[in-house]
Amino acid sequence: MRQLMMGCVAAGASEFGFTDFTYTGTYTWVQDTLTNWRLKFLTSGIFTPRKSVSIDAFLLGGGAGGGNSNGGNATPGGGGAGGRTGQLNSVALNAGVSYVITIGAGGPNHAGGGNTSFVGGSLNGAVAGGSAIVSGQEYRGTNGGSGGGSATSGAGGADGNDGASGDKAAGGTGQHTTTREFGEAGATLYGGGGGGGGGQYSYIANGGSGGAGGGANGGYGYNSVQNGFSAAANTGGGGGGAGTRQGVGATGGWGGSGILIIRNKRG
Amino acid sequence: MDEPTNYALIDESGTVNNIIWLCIANKDDFPNAICVADRPVAIGDVYTDGVFTRDGAVVPTYEEQQAALEAQ
């Protein structure tokens, strides 16, 4: 039910397999090797293992939305930050216990992303999404996993770094630790910051680039004002800031939802 | 399974304490979840009598916000 197999499973080769649990939301089972597996929870739900198992968990909050632009003073919107990341190591999950999983939603324009959590029995783990834009400071990139880029046209941060500054403000602050899956070099990158929006003149018209790991680009400004772009689901990327020109405002893009990934305990 | 969308989790005081990514098929797993679809509801907003408010004002839909900004 609702699983996407990516690889083959040899019967009896793994202590915990894809038939050893139920989940009420959507997920993807990944069989990395005969004995190593990962389970990616894409939407919120209830997880119940049929066997006890020891796991590591990687949590990613939802990305923040990008800022609206203000056509009244031709100020573009800042980029939303990526979702924050966290990790739980050597967690014992007990057979028959129901674990509640929330996957943080991506934030709308101005707003922060939702929190991703993994709660049940004695387990209580959570990480926050990217932060909301401060009212009246829509031009600023926000803080989170990787910082959003500020207006005008600042690039979103990646891999836990700050967003780039624009002419309006300093970029948003990142978490300053890697946002890669399980913190491992070469693993999938999540939680990139959104780019700041483009401005009213042709030489500053392009929106800032979204940070690697799902950050969305800022919207174009000048003669073809765009909304900020939205980040893809389950990336935790920040939404892009809106572009502008004098008299024309637009809305920031949505952040991307987060993800929870568990795997058999390794190392 | 249906496409997921945004749901607000409401605490006892009516305050939104999380926004989660959830499918309608298992919505009943979260009895305090209210579908917000594309209304830009955020953590800290208040839900009273079927209406989301922020700082005392109704949270506008995305389309309403966009229309207001385009009119600037």
Side-chain angles (χ1 to χ4, degrees):
Chain A
M1 177 178 170
R2 296 186 295 277
Q3 64 186 15
L4 174 63
M5 290 298 301
M6 300 179 68
C8 300
V9 183
S14 175
E15 294 180 354
F16 189 87
F18 67 91
T19 60
D20 293 329
F21 65 90
T22 61
Y23 188 59
T24 58
T26 60
Y27 63 89
T28 301
W29 176 270
V30 182
Q31 192 74 39
D32 291 318
T33 67
L34 277 178
T35 54
N36 286 339
W37 53 267
R38 286 174 292 151
L39 180 51
K40 300 182 177 184
F41 299 99
L42 308 179
T43 65
S44 303
I46 309 292
F47 173 70
T48 309
R50 294 190 175 99
K51 292 179 178 177
S52 295
V53 62
S54 185
I55 56 112
D56 300 327
F58 170 79
L59 298 89
L60 169 72
N68 296 340
S69 56
N70 184 342
N73 57 13
T75 301
R84 295 173 173 85
T85 67
Q87 192 165 333
L88 303 167
N89 294 320
S90 300
V91 176
L93 303 182
N94 296 313
V97 172
S98 292
Y99 296 88
V100 178
I101 291 171
T102 66
I103 301 299
N109 49 355
H110 279 256
N115 307 323
T116 292
S117 63
F118 189 17
V119 178
S122 60
L123 175 63
N124 189 355
V127 294
S131 298
I133 285 172
V134 176
S135 182
Q137 297 186 338
E138 289 81 1
Y139 50 86
R140 288 185 181 275
T142 68
N143 305 333
S146 305
S150 283
T152 302
S153 304
D159 203 12
N161 292 308
D162 299 343
S165 300
D167 59 340
K168 307 293 184 187
T173 303
Q175 66 185 22
H176 298 166
T177 58
T178 182
T179 56
R180 290 188 185 277
E181 184 179 320
F182 291 103
E184 294 177 344
T188 301
L189 191 56
Y190 291 99
Q200 69 168 332
Y201 302 113
S202 59
Y203 62 91
I204 53 172
N206 290 319
S209 299
N217 295 338
Y220 192 83
Y222 185 45
N223 59 357
S224 182
V225 171
Q226 289 178 321
N227 296 325
F229 290 86
S230 295
N234 300 122
T235 63
T244 192
R245 69 169 181 270
Q246 191 68 43
V248 181
T251 53
W254 289 75
S257 54
I259 197 168
L260 168 66
I261 303 173
I262 67 172
R263 68 182 187 185
N264 57 299
K265 176 189 166 188
R266 300 182 191 180
Chain B
M1 196 157 198
D2 55 293
E3 285 293 310
T5 190
N6 285 11
Y7 281 76
L9 297 185
I10 314 295
D11 69 15
E12 296 81 359
S13 69
T15 302
V16 176
N17 63 15
N18 200 4
I19 303 287
I20 66 170
W21 193 231
L22 177 64
C23 294
I24 193 170
N26 68 316
K27 182 263 177 198
D28 291 345
D29 291 342
F30 300 88
N32 60 333
I34 302 293
C35 182
V36 300
D38 65 346
R39 187 176 292 272
V41 172
I43 293 172
D45 290 345
V46 175
Y47 183 70
T48 309
D49 298 329
V51 178
F52 288 100
T53 59
R54 185 179 307 164
D55 300 326
V58 174
V59 177
T61 64
Y62 194 77
E63 289 72 22
E64 289 166 346
Q65 280 194 25
Q66 196 156 2
L69 288 163
E70 287 172 354
Q72 285 180 338

